[in-house]
PDB file of all heavy atoms in Angstrom:
ATOM      1  N   GLN A  36     120.326 112.644  88.616  1.00 87.00           N
ATOM      2  CA  GLN A  36     120.204 113.180  87.266  1.00 87.00           C
ATOM      3  C   GLN A  36     119.049 114.174  87.181  1.00 87.00           C
ATOM      4  O   GLN A  36     119.173 115.233  86.583  1.00 87.00           O
ATOM      5  CB  GLN A  36     120.008 112.041  86.258  1.00 87.00           C
ATOM      6  CG  GLN A  36     120.145 112.455  84.803  1.00 87.00           C
ATOM      7  CD  GLN A  36     118.929 113.170  84.228  1.00 87.00           C
ATOM      8  OE1 GLN A  36     117.805 112.982  84.684  1.00 87.00           O
ATOM      9  NE2 GLN A  36     119.154 114.009  83.251  1.00 87.00           N
ATOM     10  N   ARG A  59     116.539 130.344  91.255  1.00 78.00           N
ATOM     11  CA  ARG A  59     115.079 130.291  91.392  1.00 78.00           C
ATOM     12  C   ARG A  59     114.643 129.043  92.156  1.00 78.00           C
ATOM     13  O   ARG A  59     113.714 129.073  92.945  1.00 78.00           O
ATOM     14  CB  ARG A  59     114.408 130.317  90.022  1.00 78.00           C
ATOM     15  CG  ARG A  59     114.455 131.672  89.356  1.00 78.00           C
ATOM     16  CD  ARG A  59     113.925 131.587  87.944  1.00 78.00           C
ATOM     17  NE  ARG A  59     112.554 131.164  87.887  1.00 78.00           N
ATOM     18  CZ  ARG A  59     111.518 131.966  87.655  1.00 78.00           C
ATOM     19  NH1 ARG A  59     111.723 133.249  87.457  1.00 78.00           N
ATOM     20  NH2 ARG A  59     110.302 131.494  87.603  1.00 78.00           N
ATOM     21  N   VAL A  78     104.017 127.609  88.608  1.00 89.00           N
ATOM     22  CA  VAL A  78     105.191 128.083  87.900  1.00 89.00           C
ATOM     23  C   VAL A  78     104.771 129.284  87.063  1.00 89.00           C
ATOM     24  O   VAL A  78     104.262 129.138  85.956  1.00 89.00           O
ATOM     25  CB  VAL A  78     105.798 126.977  87.005  1.00 89.00           C
ATOM     26  CG1 VAL A  78     107.054 127.495  86.307  1.00 89.00           C
ATOM     27  CG2 VAL A  78     106.119 125.747  87.832  1.00 89.00           C
ATOM     28  N   THR A  96     100.853 146.562  85.300  1.00 94.00           N
ATOM     29  CA  THR A  96     102.048 147.216  84.739  1.00 94.00           C
ATOM     30  C   THR A  96     103.324 146.881  85.517  1.00 94.00           C
ATOM     31  O   THR A  96     104.352 147.515  85.319  1.00 94.00           O
ATOM     32  CB  THR A  96     101.858 148.742  84.706  1.00 94.00           C
ATOM     33  OG1 THR A  96     101.648 149.212  86.046  1.00 94.00           O
ATOM     34  CG2 THR A  96     100.675 149.135  83.829  1.00 94.00           C
ATOM     35  N   ILE A 112     117.447 136.629  89.533  1.00 89.00           N
ATOM     36  CA  ILE A 112     118.341 137.305  90.475  1.00 89.00           C
ATOM     37  C   ILE A 112     117.590 137.707  91.743  1.00 89.00           C
ATOM     38  O   ILE A 112     118.143 137.676  92.843  1.00 89.00           O
ATOM     39  CB  ILE A 112     118.971 138.548  89.809  1.00 89.00           C
ATOM     40  CG1 ILE A 112     119.920 138.118  88.693  1.00 89.00           C
ATOM     41  CG2 ILE A 112     119.699 139.409  90.828  1.00 89.00           C
ATOM     42  CD1 ILE A 112     120.377 139.258  87.822  1.00 89.00           C
ATOM     43  N   ALA A 127      95.214 135.105  99.387  1.00 95.00           N
ATOM     44  CA  ALA A 127      93.930 135.793  99.283  1.00 95.00           C
ATOM     45  C   ALA A 127      92.767 134.932  98.805  1.00 95.00           C
ATOM     46  O   ALA A 127      91.609 135.287  99.042  1.00 95.00           O
ATOM     47  CB  ALA A 127      94.071 137.004  98.348  1.00 95.00           C
ATOM     48  N   TRP A 133      91.978 129.782  92.688  1.00 98.00           N
ATOM     49  CA  TRP A 133      93.248 129.967  91.993  1.00 98.00           C
ATOM     50  C   TRP A 133      93.391 129.010  90.827  1.00 98.00           C
ATOM     51  O   TRP A 133      93.807 129.411  89.735  1.00 98.00           O
ATOM     52  CB  TRP A 133      94.424 129.776  92.952  1.00 98.00           C
ATOM     53  CG  TRP A 133      94.736 130.981  93.784  1.00 98.00           C
ATOM     54  CD1 TRP A 133      94.721 131.064  95.142  1.00 98.00           C
ATOM     55  CD2 TRP A 133      95.105 132.278  93.314  1.00 98.00           C
ATOM     56  NE1 TRP A 133      95.057 132.333  95.541  1.00 98.00           N
ATOM     57  CE2 TRP A 133      95.304 133.099  94.432  1.00 98.00           C
ATOM     58  CE3 TRP A 133      95.282 132.830  92.047  1.00 98.00           C
ATOM     59  CZ2 TRP A 133      95.676 134.444  94.336  1.00 98.00           C
ATOM     60  CZ3 TRP A 133      95.653 134.174  91.936  1.00 98.00           C
ATOM     61  CH2 TRP A 133      95.849 134.954  93.075  1.00 98.00           C
ATOM     62  N   GLU A 139      92.803 129.081  83.212  1.00 97.00           N
ATOM     63  CA  GLU A 139      92.314 129.963  82.153  1.00 97.00           C
ATOM     64  C   GLU A 139      93.449 130.793  81.547  1.00 97.00           C
ATOM     65  O   GLU A 139      93.446 131.104  80.363  1.00 97.00           O
ATOM     66  CB  GLU A 139      91.232 130.895  82.723  1.00 97.00           C
ATOM     67  CG  GLU A 139      90.497 131.672  81.675  1.00 97.00           C
ATOM     68  CD  GLU A 139      89.310 132.415  82.273  1.00 97.00           C
ATOM     69  OE1 GLU A 139      88.501 131.782  82.971  1.00 97.00           O
ATOM     70  OE2 GLU A 139      89.212 133.628  82.028  1.00 97.00           O
ATOM     71  N   LEU A 154      95.069 109.173  97.636  1.00 93.00           N
ATOM     72  CA  LEU A 154      94.223 107.986  97.445  1.00 93.00           C
ATOM     73  C   LEU A 154      92.938 108.313  96.694  1.00 93.00           C
ATOM     74  O   LEU A 154      92.348 107.448  96.063  1.00 93.00           O
ATOM     75  CB  LEU A 154      93.885 107.346  98.792  1.00 93.00           C
ATOM     76  CG  LEU A 154      95.052 106.729  99.551  1.00 93.00           C
ATOM     77  CD1 LEU A 154      94.582 106.202 100.902  1.00 93.00           C
ATOM     78  CD2 LEU A 154      95.712 105.632  98.737  1.00 93.00           C
ATOM     79  N   PRO A 157      91.685 112.063  91.298  1.00 91.00           N
ATOM     80  CA  PRO A 157      90.997 111.606  90.083  1.00 91.00           C
ATOM     81  C   PRO A 157      91.946 111.079  89.007  1.00 91.00           C
ATOM     82  O   PRO A 157      91.636 110.097  88.334  1.00 91.00           O
ATOM     83  CB  PRO A 157      90.262 112.850  89.587  1.00 91.00           C
ATOM     84  CG  PRO A 157      90.185 113.764  90.746  1.00 91.00           C
ATOM     85  CD  PRO A 157      91.353 113.453  91.623  1.00 91.00           C
ATOM     86  N   LEU A 159      95.090 109.744  89.406  1.00 92.00           N
ATOM     87  CA  LEU A 159      95.674 108.456  89.806  1.00 92.00           C
ATOM     88  C   LEU A 159      94.647 107.339  89.719  1.00 92.00           C
ATOM     89  O   LEU A 159      94.957 106.240  89.252  1.00 92.00           O
ATOM     90  CB  LEU A 159      96.252 108.550  91.226  1.00 92.00           C
ATOM     91  CG  LEU A 159      97.471 109.457  91.385  1.00 92.00           C
ATOM     92  CD1 LEU A 159      97.914 109.497  92.844  1.00 92.00           C
ATOM     93  CD2 LEU A 159      98.616 109.012  90.486  1.00 92.00           C
ATOM     94  N   ASN A 160      93.427 107.620  90.123  1.00 93.00           N
ATOM     95  CA  ASN A 160      92.388 106.597  90.032  1.00 93.00           C
ATOM     96  C   ASN A 160      91.974 106.352  88.586  1.00 93.00           C
ATOM     97  O   ASN A 160      91.688 105.220  88.201  1.00 93.00           O
ATOM     98  CB  ASN A 160      91.192 106.968  90.915  1.00 93.00           C
ATOM     99  CG  ASN A 160      91.497 106.687  92.370  1.00 93.00           C
ATOM    100  OD1 ASN A 160      91.583 105.540  92.787  1.00 93.00           O
ATOM    101  ND2 ASN A 160      91.705 107.742  93.143  1.00 93.00           N
ATOM    102  N   GLU A 169      95.035  90.305  96.702  1.00 89.00           N
ATOM    103  CA  GLU A 169      94.731  89.438  97.843  1.00 89.00           C
ATOM    104  C   GLU A 169      96.030  88.799  98.329  1.00 89.00           C
ATOM    105  O   GLU A 169      96.687  88.079  97.588  1.00 89.00           O
ATOM    106  CB  GLU A 169      93.723  88.370  97.422  1.00 89.00           C
ATOM    107  CG  GLU A 169      93.300  87.443  98.536  1.00 89.00           C
ATOM    108  CD  GLU A 169      92.351  88.096  99.535  1.00 89.00           C
ATOM    109  OE1 GLU A 169      91.550  88.958  99.116  1.00 89.00           O
ATOM    110  OE2 GLU A 169      92.421  87.736 100.723  1.00 89.00           O
ATOM    111  N   THR A 172      97.870  85.708 103.616  1.00 85.00           N
ATOM    112  CA  THR A 172      97.685  85.738 105.078  1.00 85.00           C
ATOM    113  C   THR A 172      97.199  87.081 105.596  1.00 85.00           C
ATOM    114  O   THR A 172      96.652  87.158 106.687  1.00 85.00           O
ATOM    115  CB  THR A 172      99.004  85.395 105.812  1.00 85.00           C
ATOM    116  OG1 THR A 172     100.006  86.356 105.443  1.00 85.00           O
ATOM    117  CG2 THR A 172      99.466  83.990 105.474  1.00 85.00           C
ATOM    118  N   PRO A 189     105.300  94.813  80.091  1.00 80.00           N
ATOM    119  CA  PRO A 189     104.716  95.564  81.203  1.00 80.00           C
ATOM    120  C   PRO A 189     105.148  94.997  82.555  1.00 80.00           C
ATOM    121  O   PRO A 189     105.255  93.790  82.731  1.00 80.00           O
ATOM    122  CB  PRO A 189     103.208  95.416  80.999  1.00 80.00           C
ATOM    123  CG  PRO A 189     103.054  94.233  80.109  1.00 80.00           C
ATOM    124  CD  PRO A 189     104.305  94.117  79.304  1.00 80.00           C
ATOM    125  N   SER A 211     123.731  75.956 102.462  1.00 66.00           N
ATOM    126  CA  SER A 211     124.383  74.702 102.847  1.00 66.00           C
ATOM    127  C   SER A 211     124.990  73.997 101.647  1.00 66.00           C
ATOM    128  O   SER A 211     125.844  73.134 101.784  1.00 66.00           O
ATOM    129  CB  SER A 211     123.385  73.778 103.555  1.00 66.00           C
ATOM    130  OG  SER A 211     122.394  73.357 102.647  1.00 66.00           O
ATOM    131  N   PRO A 218     132.666  81.692 100.428  1.00 57.00           N
ATOM    132  CA  PRO A 218     132.309  82.464 101.634  1.00 57.00           C
ATOM    133  C   PRO A 218     130.973  82.004 102.190  1.00 57.00           C
ATOM    134  O   PRO A 218     130.055  81.663 101.439  1.00 57.00           O
ATOM    135  CB  PRO A 218     132.251  83.909 101.133  1.00 57.00           C
ATOM    136  CG  PRO A 218     132.099  83.822  99.642  1.00 57.00           C
ATOM    137  CD  PRO A 218     132.707  82.516  99.224  1.00 57.00           C
TER     138      PRO A 218
END
Side-chain angles (χ1 to χ4, degrees):
Q36 192 282 334
R59 287 173 61 104
V78 182
T96 60
I112 293 169
W133 278 120
E139 190 172 309
L154 293 177
L159 293 178
N160 283 289
E169 182 74 33
T172 60
S211 67

